[in-house]
Amino acid sequence: MTNKAASSGSSNKISTFVLAVTYITLILSIIAIVAGVTAFYEGFIEVTAYLLAIGFIALALSGYYVFQSRKHVATLKIETPKILTTIECIKCGIKSTREFQRGDYVYKELDKCSKCEDTQVITAIYREPTLKEKEKNPTA
Amino acid sequence: MMNMLVQPSILNNQLGLGSGDPILTIISLLSYLFIFVFIFYGQRIQMYVMIREVESSLFKLKLLKEEGRKTAIETINEIGKPTADPSSKVDRYLEYFTIAPQNMDPSGIVHKLDHILDVRDERLKEEVKLMAPASDEVQVYNLENTLEAAMALNFIYKVVRHYYLQGKKTLSLYTIMQLQMILPLVMKEAEAYSSALKAFAYGQPIGDGVGPLIAARLMHGHEVRKVPKDCVVATVPFENRTALVTKAEGPGGNVGKPGDAVKALIEENRGKISAVIMIDAGLKLEGEALGEIAEGIGAAIGGPGVDQYKIEEAIMEDKIPLYAVIVKEDIGDAVSMMRKEISNAAEKAIERVKDVVKERTKEGDQIIIVGVGNTIGVGQ
Ligand SMILES: [Zn+2]
């Protein structure tokens, strides 16, 4: 979660608590793994097995949780898509594209065409698909 | 004798308690504890996980809602040049509600609903004019749409919060579970409204505007006149037939009343109309391609059903056939800024309309083509 998010709402208290528990588990799991390795060199094979098992399970759980909360942060970022305006001269068919400006609308008449004396017209306003949408629907 | 003495230690060993190593004993005791904790509190733990999930979605909804409100206020300040801070007025607007007419005796309910929606529309537009005195007609329409999207986000947030708090208070797994199950759909809708809000604030065409866009393509360059209510019509030669092409009046955010427009056009040309073709954005199913064209029979129009009713009524007297051509898109695409694929699908849809007209009508016939949808960002 972002800093702005952490400053408001009651739901964040629980989230910081859970986060603290997660990090403590993470540290403990690493200690367990280190202890397991030491036990291995001291010859306690069985203890090594237990400590490593506990260490890896705890590591997996806390790692999963950290990964999950990262994913939430990622989805909170809203992509700002690019909006494009297509300008066309109906008479000579010259097309150009520029970024959308406030006040643009389809079939709005703009200034004169550079070649002929006809007025140019906006013929389309659309947004390019975002990267996520391209991944989801590559054929479209 | 021997056996009996040995047995307890075997049992201890199998339970993991008697190996002599204190660490191992603690570990095995802990694992038993875990098993019992999960047996007795498993459901509760599951519930807390669900509550957490709902909580994070609720948090996101709150962000979307607040962002919507902020965008609306910023747009009003930018366009409307209000003399006082519009925040309190916006907050009041967001809580605005509409009560649907009583349907115990459903006869005549369409007109009652129509009237209530008219009053609501007028009331909200006046409110916008008061909030943003410097805005012109088009901007009032766009601001009203922006505020409606903010209103929808506010409502979704409040309903989800209601069930979340109720579930938490009663610790009812089933309340929380139901909420958690529908949340992905609710979130999708909220995200759609959130991007719609930005499109409305800037006056950009949305996916639902594909119907008016197609109508605009057909009527561009021909003389356009107004028809009731908030619609425009142009008489266009079309495949050796005469087409009366109609759409909501753009480029302000507006769906018009195609029902009234079609009724007026049929009455003007009593007995001469040989087909009504409606073009609209249709909801696609998962797996269907975006911008796919499909055709069918019937009144292709969403909303509260008033316009669908009126169109069906209007065609009944002369038994005019009613055809529909739809451009497929999902709810997210329909209310967010128009995607390139949808804009490109307009040409394909026109070809399909031509096919329908050639197959279903004779040369010299008069037909009505209706582009249904919100015409924001699409002129004529
Ligand atoms: Zn030119």
Side-chain angles (χ1 to χ4, degrees):
Chain A
M1 310 269 149
T2 55
N3 283 330
K4 201 177 80 187
S7 63
S8 66
S10 62
S11 64
N12 299 301
K13 276 176 202 156
I14 299 160
S15 127
T16 34
F17 172 72
V18 174
L19 216 65
V21 171
T22 312
Y23 281 115
I24 289 168
T25 319
L26 200 69
I27 292 162
L28 285 180
S29 67
I30 290 165
I31 291 173
I33 290 168
V34 170
V37 172
T38 334
F40 177 75
Y41 285 115
E42 283 166 11
F44 301 111
I45 303 296
E46 226 174 322
V47 179
T48 308
Y50 274 113
L51 282 174
L52 285 185
I54 288 172
F56 282 120
I57 289 168
L59 189 69
L61 283 176
S62 50
Y64 172 76
Y65 195 83
V66 169
F67 175 75
Q68 278 282 317
S69 49
R70 279 280 150 77
K71 214 171 73 182
H72 278 299
V73 174
T75 50
L76 272 178
K77 279 184 214 147
I78 297 157
E79 267 184 281
T80 39
K82 209 172 173 188
I83 314 290
L84 297 171
T85 299
T86 305
I87 300 164
E88 213 175 317
C89 170
I90 305 282
K91 210 173 188 180
C92 49
I94 292 178
K95 267 191 195 181
S96 60
T97 312
R98 64 160 165 79
E99 260 186 60
F100 176 88
Q101 289 165 6
R102 187 168 245 163
D104 279 3
Y105 62 86
V106 177
Y107 291 118
K108 183 185 185 182
E109 290 185 348
L110 300 172
D111 38 328
K112 294 244 183 318
C113 166
S114 53
K115 272 194 176 174
C116 61
E117 283 296 278
D118 221 30
T119 48
Q120 287 180 300
V121 170
I122 293 175
T123 51
I125 297 170
Y126 56 83
R127 97 182 138 93
E128 292 280 3
T130 54
L131 282 173
K132 216 166 92 190
E133 284 166 344
K134 262 184 195 161
E135 273 168 31
K136 251 197 319 196
N137 200 357
T139 50
Chain B
M1 254 329 249
M2 262 306 259
N3 257 344
M4 281 183 75
L5 278 174
V6 171
Q7 254 172 7
S9 74
I10 288 176
L11 195 65
N12 272 351
N13 270 334
Q14 281 187 335
L15 289 172
L17 297 174
S19 59
D21 191 321
I23 295 178
L24 288 185
T25 314
I26 290 168
I27 286 165
S28 44
L29 277 174
L30 272 180
S31 56
Y32 288 117
L33 191 71
F34 267 120
I35 289 169
F36 284 110
V37 163
F38 276 110
I39 287 173
F40 292 113
Y41 295 101
Q43 208 183 43
R44 187 157 278 217
I45 291 169
Q46 197 188 354
M47 193 163 70
Y48 282 122
V49 171
M50 276 183 192
I51 288 178
R52 277 280 310 153
E53 247 172 72
V54 173
E55 221 162 57
S56 74
S57 296
L58 189 65
F59 177 68
K60 196 175 168 188
L61 281 177
K62 195 177 170 192
L63 279 189
L64 290 178
K65 178 204 85 163
E66 265 157 22
E67 208 181 67
R69 177 179 173 271
K70 215 178 82 191
T71 310
I73 292 172
E74 274 171 9
T75 315
I76 289 170
N77 278 330
E78 204 180 318
I79 296 174
K81 312 260 182 297
T83 43
D85 182 26
S87 306
S88 63
K89 271 187 185 159
V90 168
D91 288 335
R92 213 178 72 187
Y93 193 105
L94 293 184
E95 298 294 326
Y96 210 80
F97 60 87
T98 310
I99 300 168
Q102 175 53 252
N103 59 4
M104 227 187 292
D105 177 16
S107 133
I109 196 173
V110 177
H111 299 291
K112 289 183 206 163
L113 181 60
D114 193 24
H115 174 66
I116 284 178
L117 292 176
D118 278 350
V119 173
R120 173 181 195 270
D121 199 49
E122 211 169 291
R123 173 83 171 74
L124 292 183
K125 284 213 175 76
E126 268 163 25
E127 196 86 9
V128 171
K129 269 178 212 153
L130 283 178
M131 267 190 255
S135 52
D136 60 30
E137 186 92 2
V138 169
Q139 285 162 343
V140 167
Y141 277 101
N142 290 355
L143 280 177
E144 197 217 342
N145 277 280
T146 309
L147 283 163
E148 293 236 18
M151 213 192 265
L153 282 174
N154 190 41
F155 183 70
I156 291 174
Y157 169 70
K158 288 210 295 188
V159 171
V160 172
R161 186 182 62 183
H162 168 76
Y163 284 110
Y164 161 73
L165 289 176
Q166 205 176 46
K168 218 172 149 185
K169 205 188 264 174
T170 56
L171 277 185
S172 150
L173 179 68
Y174 298 99
T175 309
I176 295 285
M177 209 186 225
Q178 281 183 43
L179 185 58
Q180 191 247 5
M181 279 193 291
I182 59 159
L183 258 185
L185 296 175
V186 173
M187 292 310 287
K188 199 176 170 189
E189 213 175 308
E191 272 160 35
Y193 275 119
S194 172
S195 59
L197 196 139
K198 275 178 211 108
F200 290 145
Y202 285 96
Q204 292 157 342
I206 58 172
D208 182 49
V210 71
L213 177 68
I214 292 164
R217 291 250 162 108
L218 294 174
M219 64 168 59
H220 183 68
H222 298 272
E223 200 193 321
V224 172
R225 65 186 163 95
K226 290 190 184 194
V227 276
K229 187 197 168 203
D230 292 339
C231 285
V232 289
V233 65
T235 309
V236 180
F238 189 74
E239 301 292 304
N240 299 322
R241 283 102 173 143
T242 311
L244 298 165
V245 183
T246 180
K247 71 184 266 294
E249 188 179 6
N254 176 23
V255 290
K257 282 198 166 182
D260 289 346
V262 169
K263 194 177 163 201
L265 291 176
I266 288 176
E267 269 164 17
E268 267 174 35
N269 304 279
R270 192 41 91 196
K272 283 184 258 172
I273 305 292
S274 54
V276 175
I277 301 167
M278 301 185 70
I279 309 163
D280 194 7
L283 219 52
K284 88 176 176 75
L285 299 173
E286 284 298 332
E288 284 184 313
L290 176 67
E292 216 175 72
I293 316 288
E295 62 175 273
I297 311 288
I301 184 164
V306 174
D307 285 287
Q308 187 177 357
Y309 175 87
K310 282 184 186 163
I311 290 171
E312 285 161 358
E313 278 278 300
I315 61 163
M316 271 318 286
E317 209 164 311
D318 296 342
K319 293 258 188 315
I320 303 167
L322 183 58
Y323 303 110
V325 171
I326 59 165
V327 179
K328 294 198 175 170
E329 43 190 274
D330 74 14
I331 173 79
D333 298 322
V335 298
S336 60
M337 287 147 254
M338 185 182 284
R339 274 172 68 168
K340 196 177 182 181
E341 295 93 326
I342 299 172
S343 178
N344 292 343
E347 288 307 318
K348 282 190 285 170
I350 290 175
E351 289 308 311
R352 191 61 84 87
V353 172
K354 280 181 186 167
D355 289 345
V356 174
V357 168
K358 279 191 271 188
E359 286 162 16
R360 301 273 128 222
T361 61
K362 295 189 292 289
E363 287 195 10
D365 277 356
Q366 208 167 12
I367 54 171
I368 296 176
I369 298 176
V370 194
V372 179
N374 190 328
T375 188
I376 188 160
V378 180
Q380 52 266 326

